[in-house]
Amino acid sequence: RECTKALQICEKELGNDHPYTESCSTLFSKLKLGKAAKMNEEGLVLAKAGGDYRDVVKLFREALEIYIEMGREADPHRTALVHENVAAAYISADKLEEAIAASAAALKIYRRTLGDDHDVTKKRMEEHRSLLKR
């Protein structure tokens, strides 16, 4: 919250193009991305420890919200990986419909950013197809 307030003050008092505002904005973005990465990591640890899938998915979804909010500033492949983590959590809980939706979201990002001929995309397409066959 303090970072958001500081950024708003810089924007209001100094303008968007001022170097201090740009520095504050960059720092704020890095903090948000760090928070998303931490939430994703916590979700992975909780999943590995056998935590309730709802708690795991909640952490992943909160990370996704940040990545999606960040838009172009966020790494699309990290966003796709978190979608994959959501899918894995749902698979472990036998929530196939939700897993398919999360897998499809990840695949969409890979297709858009890497193209259909990239090895990563091909692998994710195959994994998605196998989910659809369950």
Side-chain angles (χ1 to χ4, degrees):
R1 289 183 186 216
E2 289 99 18
C3 289
T4 303
K5 188 170 181 145
L7 180 58
Q8 290 170 343
I9 291 169
C10 283
E11 288 171 344
K12 181 180 177 186
E13 298 297 323
L14 303 173
N16 290 337
D17 294 332
H18 193 280
Y20 290 146
T21 304
E22 291 175 8
S23 294
C24 189
S25 179
T26 300
L27 177 61
F28 184 58
S29 294
K30 287 180 180 181
L31 289 172
K32 286 175 76 173
L33 290 173
K35 181 179 179 183
K38 183 177 183 222
M39 293 171 125
N40 182 56
E41 199 61 38
E42 288 175 3
L44 291 170
V45 169
L46 187 59
K48 189 173 184 176
D52 187 299
Y53 86 93
R54 289 172 288 233
D55 295 330
V56 173
V57 168
K58 183 177 184 231
L59 287 165
F60 291 147
R61 292 258 182 233
E62 288 175 12
L64 274 174
E65 284 178 24
I66 293 170
Y67 285 133
I68 290 167
E69 176 190 318
M70 298 293 294
R72 292 180 185 260
E73 292 179 53
D75 179 355
H77 298 119
R78 283 184 191 226
T79 306
L81 285 172
V82 179
H83 279 295
E84 288 179 34
N85 292 341
V86 171
Y90 280 131
I91 289 168
S92 72
D94 292 323
K95 302 285 185 185
L96 191 58
E97 189 174 314
E98 292 90 339
I100 289 170
S103 174
L107 181 58
K108 182 178 179 181
I109 292 169
Y110 288 126
R111 293 180 85 178
R112 185 184 77 239
T113 59
L114 300 175
D116 288 343
D117 293 330
H118 195 279
D119 289 341
V120 171
T121 306
K122 288 178 182 179
K123 182 177 181 188
R124 297 305 180 253
M125 289 170 95
E126 184 57 40
E127 290 170 353
H128 187 71
R129 275 193 288 271
S130 73
L131 261 182
L132 294 172
K133 292 178 184 176
R134 287 185 177 197

